[in-house]
Each structure stands twice: as structure tokens, then as C-alpha cells.
């Protein structure tokens, strides 16, 4: 009965995708597996970006909050000899509290100020990480202690990969619960029509703030996770360029796909850049050209193309009315671009 | 602090503020009229500096010719970017155009790294004398940058009062009504793109004899332009000019006293300003969809 329901909904592909992800470490070597660990981390970042896009706020401080998580975990392990697992809730707490202080200023000022203020914050934060002696300077922190479970040292790539998968699935699950809840519906309402939502009594600033802080919590977890497989933390990893890449992952995957879009985008772009390892300096150019082409010819990303193709093929085969891709109007469907009135402060 | 030091820091701040003013006013212009958040703005500044280097140092032309060449080249590149990328993505909305400029900026930045590497390109100083003012000596190269920037600002002021400049202001105010009055928005858009990018090109050309050109200067100045626009208020040209000098001077003094923590001082300035004056110094909220 349950199986029938699963197949009737269009989520059947989740099962092979999950099995493939679980079986992956048995097929690829340690080096390749490290690439997939990177994919998981970047997916976590891109998911946070996509979460905030849900309420119409593009954010460019993703990498900075990722760095907050990494530095909190790393510093607590280095200076306080704390167990990695204990640092996880602390890094989430630090990220959310600091995020509340920063965003309670900028969220109420609307999308433009939120975006630009985030960039300025990211710049200042990177300077702090690089310049303060306590954090180890631009060269990076000292060698981090290994992550242990009891007496077992977690350095096997396979278990790191499974830890990342667990984190990713936890992240997806929480987002799914939120999206389906009253909060998620309020977010969608804000995203698709800010003024309408606010005139219907949705607390726009409060819900946006909650959204950004949920994103912050998961970014901090992603940062702590990156401590597991890194020997040291280098401030330039958490710079502006990484935030720009996160934005590219989301668009290449597909803006209309809250869960699969960021993961597919991170997977595709990381594999492309990995396959160009021999010509590393050309990699940003190729990535940029692909992004421009996708924006111009497939504005709803790879998944958008895939879905419309699959749907049209299914339609021809079954000659029935299959659902066309639904794209949240918050992302600016062609009709709504100029229809909006001059906005006031949110 | 001696008068000498104070004046030197002040001149530094004014010079860097003038450069910020040119880049930020180009950015604000494009943001206001096209409603495009141009991430590639800093790369035009970097390309302008390298174009000046190519014309002045490699070809050996006079510096004034090099400035005009940088201006023309960046205006043409801006038009090219408009017709090849931005025009085709405008209909998808604010976020998509922004991302298109991000991707373009990445391409240009990396291409510049491939061509020029990470070393700096130096253009010979135009004037290498120091100016003595009542016992205080000041670097006249920096004063020249300031003077040049002020001339460009004057030209911009004149341009915004010509017919096409007024049309640009009308489009920024309300695009639909401007079109109903018979303004050709398509033409206004590419002219805006040309002017906005040329301003950056000139800024790069002016700064290169003093600071020399490097491939990462584009992204740095872009973030500074963002700060200036936040302080000055989105969509206000006068606010951008005022804020640019304010940020330049604050940064210059902060750099003297707290060195690498200067970005934190600037961040605090921005945070306080956003908190108490949400529209910036002189700004008003922009009509951006989804605001």
C-alpha cells in the first residue's frame, strides 16, 4: 500500500538515488570519494542559499557563515580540547546568535540592503579570521586534532562520506518538514508576493529572519563538517568567490527545485571542475560560460530542462495531461518582472 | 599627529574616495536605470587600468590618449555586454541578470589572470614631483587623480542634464511612464551601460599611475562600491558621491591607526548607518521587484 503510494507520487526516483548514494563508496576510490565529500558540503551551502531564495532574499554571505561554523569547531577543538561532537551544537548556537545580531539590522531593510550588507559582513569577517592572531592568520590555523568517536579515529573516507550523507539527509528532512508546515507556507507567500503576504497579516520581517537563521544553523553544521576532512582551516576558503560559486550551483541545478536543484548543481559543477584538474586555470572560465548559457537558454536550470523534456515525452506516450513544471513566481516569472509596483521598505 | 601626516592621510582618502565615487556612480546608474545589479562593475575598472597600461606603457602613447582609449574601450565593452548578455536575460528578472553579470565577471577576471598573471602592471608616474604647500609636501600624483576625477564628475553632471541623460533619469524614476512619454528604453539602456562602464574604465585609467594595476583590483573595488552604495543610499547619485568621499577618508584614517582592521571600522559605519538611516545618507528605496 505504502509502496503503491510512493510510486504514484513522482518521488519514486528517490529510492534509486538513495541506493546509489549509499553504494557509492564501494565503487570509487578514496580520492574520488573525497570529491563526493566536497559535493556534499557544497550541496549543504547551496541548500541554505536556496532556502533564503524562498523568501526572495539572495544571500552572498554563505561562505562567511560556513567559515563561522568551521572556525568555531576548529578553535574549540584546538584551544579547549573539546570533542568534535560537543562543538557541533556550540557552532550552531554561535552562528544563530551572531546571525541574529547581524540580520536583525539588515532583514527589515528589504532585499537590496540585505544582500549588500551580507557582502560587507562577509568581507569584514574574513578580515577578522585572517588578521587576528588567535585564529592563526592568513596562513591558516595550526594542525587540527583528529575527530574521534570514542577511541576510533574518524579518518576513513568512507565513514566521513556517510557522516556527510547523514547530515545532508537530516538537512533535507528538516527543510521538507519546514516547507510543508505553516512556516513554509508563509515563506512561499512572502516569496511569491511580498506586499500581498504582508497585507494578509504575515509577519514578513519575522518569517524572513527565521528563514535566514535556519539557513545559518545548517551552514554552521556544514562548516563543522568540513573540519572533519580538513587538516587545517584557511580563511581564504571562506571568501566571496565561494559564495558566488554557491549561487551558480543553485541556478545550474534549477531555481524551481528546492531540494534537488542545489544538489544537482553542486554535483555537476564540482564534477566539471574536477574533470578539468589538468587545466585548472581554465575552470572558472568554463564554469562562467556554462552559467551564462544556462541563464540565457535554460533559465530554470538543468532540472527544469529535464523535467519539461520528461513531461513532454510522457505526454506523448500516455497522451494524458501530466503536470507541467511549476515554478515559484517568487523567482520572477517573465510576466511578473515589470508588474511589481515600486516597493517600500519591507 | 603632525599637520603633514594629517594632510597626507586626507589626500589619500580624497583620492581613493574620488575613485570610489566614479565606480560607485557607474554602479548606481546601471542599478537605477536598468535595475541590473552589475557584479562585473569592478572588472571594468580592472580592464580600464590594464587598457591604460597597454596604451601608455606598451605602445608608448601619451597618458591622456591612454585615458581616452580606456574610456572608449570600456564603453564599447559595456555596449557589447548589454547586447550579448543583459538584453537576453532582462526578461527573466532581477536575479537572473545579476547572475549573468556574476558569470561574466568571473570569466573576465580569470581571463585577466591567464593573460597578466598575479603580478602588477606599472605605468610610469605622470608627475613625480611633490607639491609644497606652506611647509607641507603632498604627492602631486594623487592630487592629479583627484583633479581628474573631479573633471569626470563635472562631465557626468553635464551629461545627466542633456536630453539622453534626462531620459535616463526618467527611466530610473518610472520605466512605464517614461516609455509612454516616447522615451526609447532600449536606447537608454545601452547608453546607460556604456556610461556606467566608461566611468569605471576612467577610474581605472586615473588610478593606474599611482596604485599600479593588478588582476584582483576589480573584486576589491566592487566590494568598496557596494559599501559606498549602502552608505550613500541605493539609487542616489549625489548620495554615492558624498558617501564615496566619506568612506575613502574614514578608510584612509582607519588604515593608518588600526591597519588590517580597517574593514571592521567600515562595517561598523555601515551597520550604524543602516540601523539609523535605512535609506542611506540621501537615498530612497529602489523600485526593484521583490523588494
Amino acid at each position: 500500500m505504502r509502496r503503491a503510494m510512493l510510486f504514484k507520487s513522482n518521488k519514486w526516483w528517490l529510492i534509486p538515488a538513495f541506493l546509489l548514494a549509499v553504494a557509492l563508496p564501494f565503487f570509487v576510490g578514496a580520492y574520488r570519494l573525497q570529491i563526493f565529500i566536497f559535493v556534499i558540503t557544497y550541496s549543504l551551502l547551496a541548500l541554505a542559499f536556496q532556502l533564503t531564495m524562498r523568501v526572495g532574499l539572495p544571500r552572498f554571505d554563505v561562505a562567511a557563515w560556513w567559515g563561522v561554523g568551521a572556525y568555531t569547531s576548529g578553535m574549540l577543538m584546538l584551544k579547549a580540547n573539546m570533542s568534535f561532537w560537543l562543538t557541533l551544537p556550540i557552532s550552531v548556537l554561535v552562528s544563530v546568535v551572531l546571525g541574529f545580531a547581524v540580520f536583525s539590522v539588515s532583514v527589515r531593510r528589504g532585499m537590496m540592503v540585505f544582500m549588500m550588507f551580507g557582502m560587507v559582513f562577509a568581507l569584514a569577517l574574513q578580515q577578522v579570521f585572517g588578521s587576528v592572531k588567535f585564529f592563526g592568520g592568513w596562513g591558516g590555523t595550526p594542525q587540527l586534532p583528529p575527530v574521534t568517536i570514542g577511541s576510533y579515529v574518524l579518518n576513513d573516507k568512507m565513514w566521513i562520506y556517510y557522516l556527510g550523507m547523514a547530515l545532508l539527509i537530516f538537512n533535507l528532512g528538516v527543510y521538507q518538514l519546514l516547507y510543508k508546515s505553516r512556516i513554509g507556507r508563509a515563506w512561499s507567500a512572502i516569496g511569491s508576493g511580498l506586499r500581498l503576504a504582508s497585507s494578509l497579516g504575515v509577519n514578513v520581517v519575522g518569517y524572513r529572519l527565521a528563514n535566514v537563521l535556519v539557513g545559518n544553523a545548517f551552514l554552521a553544521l556544514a562548516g563543522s563538517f568540513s573540519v572533519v576532512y580538513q587538516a587545517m582551516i584557511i580563511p581564504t576558503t571562506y571568501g566571496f568567490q565561494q559564495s558566488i560559486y554557491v549561487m551558480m550551483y543553485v541556478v545550474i541545478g534549477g531555481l524551481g527545485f528546492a531540494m534537488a536543484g542545489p544538489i544537482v548543481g553542486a554535483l555537476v559543477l564540482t564534477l566539471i571542475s574536477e574533470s578539468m584538474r589538468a587545466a585548472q586555470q581554465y575552470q572558472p572560465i568554463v564554469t562562467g560560460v556554462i552559467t551564462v548559457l544556462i541563464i540565457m537558454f535554460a533559465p530554470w536550470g538543468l532540472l527544469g530542462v529535464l523535467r519539461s523534456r520528461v513531461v513532454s515525452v510522457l505526454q506523448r506516450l500516455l497522451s494524458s495531461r501530466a503536470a507541467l513544471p511549476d515554478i515559484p513566481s517568487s523567482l520572477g516569472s517573465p510576466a511578473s518582472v515589470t508588474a511589481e509596483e515600486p516597493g517600500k521598505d519591507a | 599627529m603632525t599637520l603633514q601626516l594629517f594632510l597626507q592621510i586626507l589626500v589619500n582618502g580624497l583620492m581613493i574616495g574620488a575613485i570610489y565615487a566614479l565606480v560607485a556612480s557607474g554602479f548606481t546608474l546601471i542599478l537605477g536605470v536598468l535595475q541590473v545589479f552589475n557584479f562585473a562593475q569592478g572588472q571594468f575598472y580592472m580592464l580600464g587600468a590594464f587598457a591604460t597600461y597597454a596604451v601608455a606603457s606598451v605602445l608608448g602613447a601619451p597618458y591622456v590618449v591612454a585615458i581616452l582609449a580606456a574610456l572608449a574601450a570600456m564603453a564599447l565593452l559595456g555596449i557589447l555586454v548589454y547586447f550579448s548578455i543583459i538584453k537576453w536575460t532582462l526578461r527573466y528578472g532581477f536575479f537572473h541578470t545579476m547572475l549573468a553579470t556574476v558569470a561574466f565577471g568571473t570569466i573576465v577576471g580569470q581571463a585577466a589572470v591567464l593573460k597578466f598573471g598575479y603580478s602588477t602592471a606599472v605605468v610610469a608616474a605622470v608627475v613625480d614631483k611633490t607639491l609644497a604647500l606652506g611647509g607641507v609636501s603632498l604627492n602631486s600624483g594623487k592630487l592629479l587623480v583627484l583633479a581628474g576625477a573631479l573633471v569626470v564628475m563635472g562631465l557626468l553632471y553635464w551629461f545627466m542634464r542633456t536630453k539622453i541623460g534626462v531620459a535616463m533619469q526618467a527611466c530610473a524614476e518610472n520605466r512605464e511612464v517614461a516609455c509612454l512619454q516616447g522615451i526609447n528604453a532600449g536606447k537608454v539602456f545601452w547608453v546607460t551601460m556604456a556610461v556606467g562602464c566608461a566611468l569605471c574604465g576612467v577610474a581605472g585609467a586615473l588610478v593606474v599611475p599611482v596604485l599600479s594595476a593588478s588582476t584582483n583590483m576589480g573584486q576589491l573595488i566592487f566590494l568598496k562600491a557596494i559599501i559606498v552604495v549602502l552608505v550613500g543610499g541605493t539609487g542616489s547619485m549625489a548620495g554615492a558621491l558624498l558617501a564615496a568621499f566619506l568612506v575613502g577618508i574614514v578608510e584612509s584614517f582607519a588604515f593608518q591607526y588600526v591597519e588590517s582592521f580597517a574593514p571592521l571600522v567600515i562595517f561598523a559605519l555601515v551597520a550604524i548607518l543602516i540601523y539609523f538611516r535605512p535609506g542611506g545618507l540621501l537615498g530612497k528605496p529602489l523600485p526593484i521587484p521583490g523588494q
Side-chain angles (χ1 to χ4, degrees):
Chain A
M1 190 61 191
R2 287 187 72 103
R3 204 179 60 183
M5 269 173 66
L6 192 64
F7 276 92
K8 207 174 265 176
S9 75
N10 53 5
K11 298 277 189 271
W12 57 269
W13 53 267
L14 273 173
I15 295 172
F18 178 72
L19 290 178
L20 200 67
V22 169
L24 191 78
F26 300 103
F27 296 117
V28 298
Y31 174 73
R32 291 269 169 84
L33 202 55
Q34 180 59 51
I35 296 166
F36 283 98
I37 293 171
F38 281 131
V39 170
I40 290 173
T41 313
Y42 296 151
S43 303
L44 291 169
L45 303 188
L47 278 166
F49 186 93
Q50 181 76 307
L51 179 76
T52 350
M53 280 302 286
R54 198 84 174 184
V55 288
L57 298 172
R59 65 190 295 183
F60 289 93
D61 48 359
V62 170
W65 294 107
W66 184 39
V68 168
Y71 268 99
T72 312
S73 276
M75 282 298 135
L76 284 174
M77 283 162 75
L78 267 175
K79 309 271 171 179
N81 279 326
M82 219 179 239
S83 152
F84 169 75
W85 308 101
L86 264 178
T87 68
L88 281 178
I90 299 176
S91 76
V92 169
L93 193 71
V94 168
S95 175
V96 169
V97 169
L98 192 60
F100 182 78
V102 171
F103 292 126
S104 54
V105 178
S106 65
V107 162
R108 67 188 70 241
R109 304 304 180 207
M111 179 262 272
M112 289 290 293
V113 170
F114 171 81
M115 193 168 76
M116 298 200 279
F117 193 71
M119 289 181 207
V120 179
F121 172 74
L123 181 75
L125 196 70
Q126 202 194 5
Q127 200 69 34
V128 169
F129 285 147
S131 303
V132 179
K133 282 276 186 313
F134 179 75
F135 293 114
W138 292 106
T141 58
Q143 177 88 28
L144 295 170
V147 174
T148 55
I149 307 172
S151 61
Y152 172 72
V153 177
L154 188 69
N155 55 7
D156 187 355
K157 287 275 182 272
M158 187 168 97
W159 291 111
I160 296 176
Y161 173 81
Y162 282 137
L163 177 65
M165 280 308 285
L167 186 56
L168 185 62
I169 289 169
F170 172 61
N171 190 340
L172 290 174
V174 171
Y175 281 11
Q176 183 67 22
L177 284 178
L178 283 172
Y179 284 152
K180 294 287 173 209
S181 72
R182 189 186 166 80
I183 300 170
R185 287 199 299 276
W187 287 346
S188 304
I190 292 169
S192 51
L194 186 97
R195 293 182 135 197
L196 184 61
S198 97
S199 67
L200 287 174
V202 177
N203 178 358
V204 172
V205 173
Y207 275 109
R208 276 185 160 175
L209 196 57
N211 178 300
V212 177
L213 292 181
V214 169
N216 258 23
F218 281 102
L219 284 175
L221 281 181
S224 297
F225 173 62
S226 71
V227 166
V228 178
Y229 59 82
Q230 277 175 344
M232 56 198 275
I233 307 169
I234 301 169
T236 44
T237 319
Y238 306 99
F240 190 54
Q241 196 60 39
Q242 185 59 46
S243 297
I244 285 178
Y245 275 116
V246 168
M247 184 187 186
M248 288 184 180
Y249 300 147
V250 172
V251 172
I252 286 177
L255 269 171
F257 302 84
M259 305 285 179
I263 298 175
V264 170
L267 183 70
V268 169
L269 265 195
T270 312
L271 291 186
I272 287 176
S273 81
E274 226 11 78
S275 65
M276 294 190 62
R277 181 160 278 278
Q280 193 71 44
Q281 66 272 41
Y282 291 99
Q283 176 255 321
I285 296 182
V286 172
T287 313
V289 170
I290 291 173
T291 313
V292 168
L293 290 179
I294 283 190
I295 297 163
M296 283 164 77
F297 298 108
W300 306 115
L302 292 177
L303 284 177
V305 173
L306 200 68
R307 196 184 220 180
S308 56
R309 278 289 142 72
V310 169
V311 167
S312 71
V313 167
L314 279 180
Q315 269 177 333
R316 224 173 296 146
L317 286 178
L318 306 173
S319 69
S320 69
R321 284 189 165 191
L324 277 164
D326 54 328
I327 287 156
S329 58
S330 66
L331 308 172
S333 64
S336 75
V337 172
T338 50
E340 293 261 347
E341 291 282 302
K344 282 194 173 170
D345 272 9
Chain B
M1 177 167 45
T2 61
L3 184 68
Q4 164 87 32
L5 186 64
F6 176 79
L7 281 180
Q8 273 173 356
I9 298 172
L10 188 69
V11 167
N12 268 349
L14 285 173
M15 181 204 78
I16 204 72
I19 296 300
Y20 291 167
L22 293 185
V23 176
S25 57
F27 177 80
T28 304
L29 196 66
I30 294 174
L31 183 62
V33 178
L34 273 83
Q35 297 186 1
V36 170
F37 195 95
N38 189 5
F39 259 86
Q41 199 75 17
Q43 309 293 9
F44 287 98
Y45 168 77
M46 183 264 292
L47 287 178
F50 275 103
T52 314
Y53 165 74
V55 175
S57 287
V58 181
L59 296 180
Y63 180 58
V64 178
V65 176
I67 293 181
L68 292 177
L71 188 151
M74 287 311 111
L76 281 177
L77 187 63
I79 294 170
L80 191 70
V81 170
Y82 174 72
F83 281 108
S84 61
I85 298 175
I86 290 177
K87 190 180 176 190
W88 307 105
T89 48
L90 266 178
R91 62 195 153 134
Y92 300 127
F94 179 74
F95 183 73
H96 279 80
T97 45
M98 178 167 75
L99 189 69
T101 59
V102 169
F104 175 75
T106 311
I107 296 170
V108 170
Q110 189 62 26
V113 169
L114 285 180
K115 182 84 181 80
F116 303 108
Y118 290 102
S119 57
T120 55
V122 184
V123 172
V126 185
V127 280
D128 49 1
K129 281 176 235 148
T130 52
L131 191 71
L133 263 179
V136 180
S137 62
L138 296 168
N139 184 336
S140 47
K142 289 175 179 169
L143 290 173
L144 191 74
V145 173
L146 183 58
L150 288 175
V151 169
V152 175
M153 279 173 221
L155 285 175
L156 182 66
Y157 183 82
W158 165 78
F159 181 80
M160 291 311 280
R161 265 141 198 80
T162 58
K163 199 171 179 189
I164 184 80
V166 174
M168 276 155 66
Q169 291 179 39
C171 273
E173 194 77 28
N174 191 324
R175 196 182 291 176
E176 282 80 26
V177 176
C179 289
L180 286 175
Q181 301 293 326
I183 288 171
N184 181 351
K187 185 183 165 196
V188 167
F189 283 1
W190 70 254
V191 173
T192 307
M193 202 63 197
V195 173
C197 297
L199 279 171
C200 291
V202 171
L206 283 173
V207 89
V208 72
V210 180
L211 293 183
S212 76
S214 63
T215 43
N216 67 346
M217 67 198 283
Q219 211 171 47
L220 295 179
I221 198 107
F222 172 70
L223 288 167
K224 293 294 159 55
I226 295 291
I227 292 168
V228 167
V229 170
L230 266 179
V231 173
T234 42
S236 161
M237 290 280 268
L241 295 184
L242 185 66
F245 284 107
L246 180 68
V247 169
I249 291 171
V250 168
E251 194 180 46
S252 186
F253 278 96
F255 193 74
Q256 180 69 24
Y257 290 106
V258 293
E259 288 177 8
S260 55
F261 294 103
L264 273 184
V265 176
I266 299 287
F267 173 71
L269 175 78
V270 172
I272 292 167
L273 210 97
I274 295 292
Y275 193 77
F276 289 108
R277 272 197 71 86
L281 287 176
L282 300 173
K284 55 185 191 306
L286 266 186
I288 297 286
Q291 175 89 2

